[in-house]
Amino acid sequence: MMATPQTVETKTAAGGCGKPECGSGGCGSKKDSGERKIWEIRTEEQVYAFLNDKTMADSNRYGQKIDLIAHTENKLPVGRSMFINENPAVGTNPNRNKQHGFFFTADNCIGCHACEAACSEKNDNPAHLAFRSVGYVEGGSFPDYKRMNISMACNHCDDPVCLKGCPTRAYTKHVEYGAVLQDPETCFGCGYCTWVCPYNAPQLDPVKGQVSKCNMCVDRLEVGLKPACVAACVGNALDFGVIENIPANREQARVEIPGFPSPEITRPNIRFQQLKQMPDELTRTDSMPVKYHKDAAGRYRPTIDQKQGRTKHWNLARLSSRENPLVLFTLSAQAAAGAFALAFLGAQAGLSGFAGFAQSALYVPLVMLCFAMVAFGLFMSTMHLGKPKRFYRGFNNLRHSPVSREGLGIAIFMAGLGLHITFSLPANRIFQALFSGVFGADINALIAPTLTASMATGFGYFALAGSAAGLYYMYRCYRIKARPFWDHWQVGSAFAGTLLSLGSLVTGVVVAATLAASGESFTAVLVVAAGLLCLGLLVEGIGHIAHGRAMSSAEHEGGASHYVQTTTFGNTYLLRNGLLGLNLLLGSGLLLSLLLMPGVSVWQLLGLALVGAVLLATSVMGRALFYILVIPTTMPGAFFWKNKGFEQHARDIGLANMPQVGVAPLRH
């Protein structure tokens, strides 16, 4: 079902694009008899540029009503203003409350990019940004070599995953035309909508630090004109109107063509005609290791294109990406949650060593360390935003967005840690000495120790609940259908494994060192910490094995990601797996020796230190691979345009320094 359209706010401007103007068209800037016009119609506008829907179906092929007022059960009024350029005027289009969509005739597209140019001109886009892009697939052999061009923009879907994913609620599904509009001035540039959209419609501008996208040219629709891209199409390949209305001289209305991701993800409002017979196998000219093969039903499905052969490489330098802040955020948050859970629950359960440590002077500093780790992670996550000062908007979409819920859970975790620290201080000997030295009084004579201890315990459990919620929604953030490499339960096992292994490493080191310094036995602490560390490695390893098997046999973009993992980063991947396995074996051997031998030897401590060092290296390496390997279900690019391989080459040789080349800067 389509998400219920949100109330239109008066901030929406320039056809919903959020800009004070709408490109070179001067939307809303003209005056006629003292009234501002929504869009100025040219005196010699051609007939083909006007909408001409006379009749329409009741429902689309997914069973959803095309009349969006009826779809929303008349909860929203007819005749609302869209406040285009802050203009309260209402358009004259009689079908403005019907779901509209694009119609693309692939056989007619000649790849001239006129639609691209018209869109970019109207929206005043920089060279590295395009709301509509033209790519192509090709196949066959001479003389029967065929190429099919594909022009694609936002499809204003029935189920817009961008709207549900956006934490700032910058997206709105309107009952006017069914347009999915986005306000860049609300956006804080996290880029999550660019992850979840299967069609690469939202465009993250690394220069401005915000996302923008196709706005369906609603200003033109209001006065009965088709979008600028449609009006500019020289081959009559693009058309537009009420969805399910087939244009004149067309006989098909398909929901997918070769290179188009599965429509089941979002139910896009675009229909296709493609009559020309194409080869059974079509390839992409961009660097994406994906091609399309016709199945028994005649549908083209993605499969792996081994463009780079099977040679394994290291490419260690390429492990660094603009997602580095998220690498640090996820690792530090998971480690902090695991470390606090072990220290707190170990003390609550009365485990040997942990109960005594909770009464020591270093318990509060350990919790402070956990707090600092989460704070560092949140800081890195905030700096990953295009506009970090707008971080507070991340809680705007708790109803739908896993990003908002993740942020709330982590915030609750931090608040719980802070309050737990506050109410644990009166029982801390270091704090007691400081308080007595400054104020000349015993704090426990002023505050009831029993009450503060109870409050500290309560807020400890509160922090645990927040961390559990935050980490669960952190996992949900990556279960994205448009990114099959991530859409696997292994994401959860990797996050849980990190929580157990890194968390037990942090707490084990601090607690064991504290007990050793006080002359107490810390063998039991090492046994618990080593056991949880090995369990975390085992959980992570099982997930990697299952994920590798699933992706190696997959015929989709997830399989293509695995191909890159085993070739472009093949040696790095093998090193990570080998170190993970050896670490598990070494850790298990040390755990067994701790259980069977009395006391703790220097060699056991050195072995555990080695396990910890290798764990840190494999955690960073594995998490970096996690982010750089994923291949989205995006539309095919061209040889120069929307081609990651060409973009990297342009950066390597300095061509990217020329703005007109259209290669976006590598910053976020």
Side-chain angles (χ1 to χ4, degrees):
M1 295 293 290
M2 180 186 75
T4 301
Q6 301 174 17
T7 302
V8 180
E9 301 179 34
T10 56
K11 65 185 179 184
T12 310
C17 70
K19 298 178 181 178
E21 72 287 316
C22 198
S24 62
C27 162
S29 63
K30 304 290 184 180
K31 294 182 179 294
D32 181 22
S33 301
E35 295 183 2
R36 292 182 354 183
K37 291 186 177 181
I38 298 174
W39 181 264
E40 184 75 11
I41 300 177
R42 297 182 301 179
T43 55
E44 297 182 0
E45 193 72 70
Q46 300 299 308
V47 175
Y48 59 76
F50 287 90
L51 294 163
N52 57 1
D53 295 287
K54 305 300 182 184
T55 60
M56 57 214 69
D58 179 66
S59 301
N60 66 15
R61 65 190 57 214
Y62 301 112
Q64 179 173 295
K65 289 186 178 296
I66 292 175
D67 187 321
L68 297 177
I69 297 295
H71 173 69
T72 56
E73 299 176 349
N74 298 306
K75 293 178 181 177
L76 297 174
V78 177
R80 295 191 311 172
S81 171
M82 299 187 76
F83 292 97
I84 298 171
N85 283 332
E86 300 181 359
N87 186 349
V90 177
T92 57
N93 191 328
N95 297 321
R96 70 192 303 268
N97 292 123
K98 306 295 191 296
Q99 176 67 60
H100 285 61
F102 290 99
F103 191 99
F104 179 66
T105 306
D107 301 330
N108 287 18
C109 182
I110 61 174
C112 67
H113 298 261
C115 54
E116 246 182 61
C119 176
S120 291
E121 180 190 19
K122 179 178 183 295
N123 292 287
D124 197 21
N125 287 334
H128 60 267
L129 214 62
F131 297 163
R132 177 170 289 279
S133 296
V134 178
Y136 55 90
V137 292
E138 55 191 8
S141 58
F142 181 82
D144 189 25
Y145 197 78
K146 295 182 178 179
R147 167 174 155 177
M148 187 187 75
N149 298 303
I150 306 173
S151 175
M152 189 58 53
C154 178
N155 296 311
H156 303 275
C157 308
D158 285 352
D159 186 15
V161 290
C162 53
L163 182 150
K164 293 182 177 180
C166 176
T168 66
R169 291 186 69 203
Y171 287 83
T172 307
K173 176 75 174 179
H174 288 253
V175 292
E176 291 77 27
Y177 309 103
V180 178
L181 303 185
Q182 189 264 358
D183 182 8
E185 297 309 313
T186 300
C187 170
F188 62 9
C190 70
Y192 189 68
C193 56
T194 68
W195 285 8
V196 299
C197 176
Y199 316 110
N200 197 31
Q203 299 290 301
L204 176 61
D205 187 346
V207 177
K208 291 185 176 180
Q210 62 190 27
V211 170
S212 51
K213 60 176 280 294
C214 160
N215 54 50
M216 203 189 256
C217 288
V218 289
D219 42 9
R220 292 173 59 91
L221 301 184
E222 287 282 75
V223 296
L225 290 174
K226 296 177 182 178
C229 56
V230 176
C233 180
V234 300
N236 196 21
L238 269 178
D239 211 326
F240 186 86
V242 176
I243 199 66
E244 305 300 356
N245 280 7
I246 302 177
N249 302 317
R250 300 292 184 267
E251 56 188 84
Q252 287 184 338
R254 301 167 58 178
V255 294
E256 57 184 337
I257 54 174
F260 189 74
S262 171
E264 295 302 321
I265 300 177
T266 63
R267 297 184 175 180
N269 284 298
I270 185 171
R271 301 294 181 260
F272 302 98
Q273 174 165 301
Q274 189 253 317
L275 297 175
K276 290 182 181 178
Q277 187 69 23
M278 300 296 292
D280 290 346
E281 188 169 274
L282 296 171
T283 60
R284 299 168 61 133
T285 55
D286 57 22
S287 61
M288 202 79 76
V290 176
K291 57 185 178 182
Y292 305 95
H293 188 80
K294 185 188 292 186
D295 62 16
R299 303 171 70 185
Y300 283 85
R301 296 301 184 195
T303 186
I304 302 165
D305 188 2
Q306 298 186 9
K307 295 180 178 179
Q308 304 299 324
R310 297 299 307 179
T311 305
K312 294 179 173 60
H313 303 277
W314 286 100
N315 284 307
L316 292 174
R318 290 176 58 184
L319 290 178
S320 178
S321 71
R322 64 183 182 187
E323 310 298 350
N324 286 346
L326 297 183
V327 172
L328 298 175
F329 165 60
T330 54
L331 289 177
S332 60
Q334 291 157 16
F340 175 71
L342 176 56
F344 178 73
L345 293 178
Q348 293 297 307
L351 296 180
S352 177
F354 290 95
F357 174 76
Q359 304 302 317
S360 72
L362 288 181
Y363 174 76
V364 169
L366 173 60
V367 182
M368 288 180 173
L369 174 62
C370 294
F371 184 91
M373 290 169 64
V374 180
F376 169 75
L378 279 178
F379 173 76
M380 295 307 300
S381 178
T382 300
M383 296 311 295
H384 177 262
L385 301 176
K387 295 187 175 180
K389 293 181 180 179
R390 297 180 178 179
F391 71 92
Y392 57 90
R393 297 181 181 179
F395 303 108
N396 286 357
N397 196 10
L398 291 171
R399 180 181 178 186
H400 294 297
S401 176
V403 180
S404 292
R405 296 173 181 178
E406 173 201 36
L408 179 61
I410 298 298
I412 291 174
F413 178 40
M414 283 194 70
L417 285 179
L419 292 168
H420 180 70
I421 291 169
T422 301
F423 286 97
S424 297
L425 284 175
N428 185 269
R429 291 196 298 272
I430 296 176
F431 180 77
Q432 289 173 358
L434 290 173
F435 189 89
S436 177
V438 174
F439 298 101
D442 182 3
I443 189 173
N444 288 317
L446 304 175
I447 302 175
T450 304
L451 175 62
T452 57
S454 299
M455 294 292 286
T457 301
F459 284 119
Y461 283 111
F462 179 72
L464 287 179
S467 68
L471 295 181
Y472 172 73
Y473 284 109
M474 184 182 292
Y475 158 72
R476 293 303 310 170
C477 283
Y478 296 93
R479 292 303 302 269
I480 301 171
K481 292 181 180 179
R483 299 198 168 207
F485 189 70
W486 286 349
D487 194 22
H488 189 276
W489 60 264
Q490 178 267 337
V491 173
S493 67
F495 288 2
T498 300
L499 180 144
L500 290 169
S501 56
L502 287 182
S504 59
L505 175 64
V506 172
T507 297
V509 168
V510 175
V511 175
T514 301
L515 295 178
S518 62
E520 300 180 38
S521 173
F522 55 90
T523 304
V525 170
L526 288 182
V527 168
V528 173
L532 289 175
L533 189 151
C534 290
L535 177 61
L537 292 174
L538 179 62
V539 169
E540 188 172 357
I542 291 173
H544 283 313
I545 292 171
H547 185 254
R549 288 178 177 175
M551 295 299 112
S552 63
S553 60
E555 293 295 335
H556 52 50
E557 289 79 4
S561 296
H562 183 70
Y563 164 72
V564 174
Q565 180 173 245
T566 55
T567 54
T568 305
F569 297 93
N571 291 329
T572 306
Y573 173 61
L574 290 177
L575 176 64
R576 192 280 309 270
N577 291 348
L579 290 177
L580 188 64
L582 290 174
N583 223 22
L584 178 58
L585 291 175
L586 179 59
S588 300
L590 291 169
L591 174 62
L592 186 61
S593 69
L594 288 170
L595 290 170
L596 298 178
M597 297 172 61
V600 180
S601 68
V602 174
W603 293 108
Q604 288 173 320
L605 292 176
L606 289 175
L608 290 172
L610 177 61
V611 168
V614 173
L615 172 63
L616 291 174
T618 55
S619 296
V620 173
M621 192 184 307
R623 196 56 53 85
L625 285 170
F626 174 81
Y627 283 104
I628 64 175
L629 287 171
V630 64
I631 293 176
T633 60
T634 188
M635 300 298 301
F639 187 78
F640 293 109
W641 185 233
K642 299 293 183 179
N643 183 350
K644 297 298 182 184
F646 170 74
E647 290 177 7
Q648 185 59 48
H649 176 67
R651 294 187 180 103
D652 293 340
I653 66 174
L655 191 62
N657 297 329
M658 302 171 64
Q660 63 268 35
V661 175
V663 176
L666 268 182
R667 64 177 188 251
H668 191 162

